[in-house]
Amino acid sequence: MTFNASLSLSIASALLAASVTAVAAQPLQEGGAALKDRKIGYVMTHKYWAVYETEGAKTECPQGFNDGPREQFKKLYGDGKKRSIVEAQLKREGEQWHPTTEPESFKFLEAQGNTSYGLNLDGKVGLEDFLSPEGEKGIDNQLYRVIGCIGHYRTMGTINHFENLFMRSYDDARIVIELTEVDNLQHDDAVVVTTYRGSDGLLQDATGEGFIPGGTQRIDLRWGKEYVSQLKGKIVDGVLVTDPADRVMLPWGVTFGTSGYHVFRGFQLKLKLDPEAAEGLMAGYVDVKAFNHHLNTSWSTHHHSYGQLSSPSQYKAMMRLADGYPDPKTGKNTAISSAVRVKFTQVYVRQPEQRELVSQK
């Protein structure tokens, strides 16, 4: 071998080694970057009605927790007097489906304290507002006053467990958001957020507890048009903040495939973003009647008893503390400020082709 040939072989070997090293230093990413064509999508994997909890509930529930259907039924009809089914069981069940704001004999225990999760929905700092755990003033979350001392909504509560279980199990409960017009996930003065109902399952990791980014969600624009809403927003220091949207409807199906939804007025998002996940709050004024309807159609009185949730008592408290969207005729507020703690994982959003929107005969 001549000197020139030996030198050429050495140079080629060095270049090949450098190329292999460079490739090895860059981990393979199936599907490429999450932010494509100024778009990135996320699918919801966790949601919890925001309840601020202290150890032993001593701060927010110093008098304990509210009674549920069984405890209230015993107080109403446990005096030994003989009654018919119509006079007792059906009467109480009717009050669940046709609630009123009339006072009842049971004392309702509202959550106490001045700390709560949530957002400043009205842009003001009022006497009834909370401080966030981080110290932000003006937090609006009167729903927390209502549900904070109901066992169902606590960390180990039945609703927390089953709403998440069924959300992950049923594709018709899939909540998807897509960010468009995104230049940077750290700072962007103007982005658009669109809410959808997805059609595909979630990708769980080997533990069954976590979720893998990079899946696909086909958007349901045929049966899920009512769940499509657009919000304007911006990204500051990696946090997405949206402007209020007047009305947003989200799929919220629960037990045994029951189709359900919740309606939010003045809806906002505040989410910490990264290329693989998003986490934070969605907040707004939840429509009281829609909330009550969802509760009763999704969970029977028997299921309410698991976490001592009295639907009639909760409805009365929600109407009493409602703080938004007054009825034009009566002037009474129809919605109550609320917040939901949420987690998302990144997905690629697939819009349906036109042929998928045409019915097949």
Side-chain angles (χ1 to χ4, degrees):
M1 181 180 291
T2 64
F3 175 77
N4 288 340
S6 177
L7 178 62
S8 298
L9 182 60
S10 298
I11 293 174
S13 298
L15 290 174
L16 178 61
S19 175
V20 171
T21 302
V23 170
Q26 298 178 1
L28 295 176
Q29 292 185 349
E30 187 174 353
L35 182 60
K36 283 186 172 183
D37 302 322
R38 303 177 70 202
K39 300 178 182 179
I40 187 169
Y42 298 93
V43 62
M44 187 179 293
T45 58
H46 300 76
K47 65 175 187 286
Y48 308 96
W49 291 103
V51 172
Y52 181 75
E53 300 181 37
T54 62
E55 185 176 357
K58 294 178 181 178
T59 300
E60 67 274 23
C61 305
Q63 299 181 61
F65 296 99
N66 283 286
D67 286 339
R70 292 171 181 166
E71 294 81 11
Q72 290 186 348
F73 191 86
K74 185 176 181 179
K75 289 179 179 179
L76 285 170
Y77 307 114
D79 55 5
K81 181 180 177 181
K82 192 173 182 178
R83 295 178 176 86
S84 68
I85 292 179
V86 173
E87 293 173 321
Q89 291 171 274
L90 293 183
K91 181 177 186 297
R92 191 58 179 162
E93 188 72 9
E95 290 170 355
Q96 175 171 306
W97 288 96
H98 303 281
T100 70
T101 57
E102 294 297 318
E104 57 186 354
S105 58
F106 314 112
K107 181 180 180 181
F108 190 85
L109 304 176
E110 297 177 9
Q112 305 299 304
N114 63 353
T115 304
S116 175
Y117 301 105
L119 300 179
N120 187 340
L121 298 175
D122 59 9
K124 304 174 183 178
V125 177
L127 295 176
E128 298 298 321
D129 292 347
F130 295 95
L131 286 172
S132 74
E134 296 76 28
E136 181 183 351
K137 297 180 179 179
I139 299 300
D140 298 300
N141 189 357
Q142 289 301 303
L143 183 63
Y144 168 54
R145 293 279 187 214
V146 178
I147 68 176
C149 297
I150 297 176
H152 247 316
Y153 297 96
R154 308 283 295 186
T155 297
M156 301 304 292
T158 305
I159 281 184
N160 272 347
H161 171 71
F162 281 108
E163 282 203 343
N164 282 280
L165 175 66
F166 293 130
M167 175 187 69
R168 298 163 188 161
S169 302
Y170 304 137
D171 292 347
D172 63 359
R174 193 76 61 241
I175 297 176
V176 174
I177 61 172
E178 184 179 37
L179 282 62
T180 55
E181 302 180 23
V182 182
D183 296 313
N184 190 297
L185 285 179
Q186 281 297 309
H187 301 281
D188 199 316
D189 292 335
V191 300
V192 176
V193 182
T194 307
T195 65
Y196 296 106
R197 181 170 73 178
S199 301
D200 293 298
L202 303 175
L203 298 180
Q204 291 181 279
D205 64 17
T207 69
E209 299 296 326
F211 296 88
I212 302 171
T216 299
Q217 280 293 323
R218 293 170 297 162
I219 297 307
D220 175 13
L221 294 183
R222 184 176 185 185
W223 307 114
K225 288 183 179 179
E226 57 195 349
Y227 301 120
V228 180
S229 298
Q230 271 199 349
L231 301 86
K232 295 181 178 180
K234 59 184 178 181
I235 302 173
V236 181
D237 295 329
V239 177
L240 168 70
V241 180
T242 65
D243 297 336
D246 181 60
R247 187 180 187 277
V248 171
M249 189 171 170
L250 296 176
W252 215 284
V254 284
T255 178
F256 310 122
T258 304
S259 179
Y261 61 86
H262 274 303
V263 177
F264 292 85
R265 309 297 303 273
F267 181 81
Q268 299 180 45
L269 290 169
K270 185 177 182 180
L271 302 174
K272 177 68 176 177
L273 304 175
D274 69 44
E276 294 190 346
E279 182 175 357
L281 293 167
M282 62 183 192
Y285 295 86
V286 69
D287 183 277
V288 174
K289 289 186 177 180
F291 189 99
N292 190 68
H293 178 77
H294 177 274
L295 175 67
N296 290 335
T297 53
S298 300
W299 303 101
S300 69
T301 305
H302 167 75
H303 292 98
H304 293 178
S305 298
Y306 289 174
Q308 294 177 261
L309 191 167
S310 166
S311 175
S313 296
Q314 178 178 280
Y315 177 83
K316 295 176 192 296
M318 289 182 72
M319 289 300 294
R320 183 173 66 253
L321 295 173
D323 53 345
Y325 292 84
D327 183 285
K329 296 180 179 179
T330 66
K332 294 182 178 180
N333 289 323
T334 63
I336 187 168
S337 54
S338 66
V340 186
R341 301 172 70 187
V342 292
K343 293 182 181 180
F344 295 81
T345 193
Q346 179 267 330
V347 290
Y348 296 101
V349 175
R350 179 188 162 195
Q351 297 288 341
E353 298 177 12
Q354 187 61 35
R355 62 184 175 82
E356 296 178 5
L357 301 179
V358 179
S359 61
Q360 300 293 322
K361 294 184 179 180

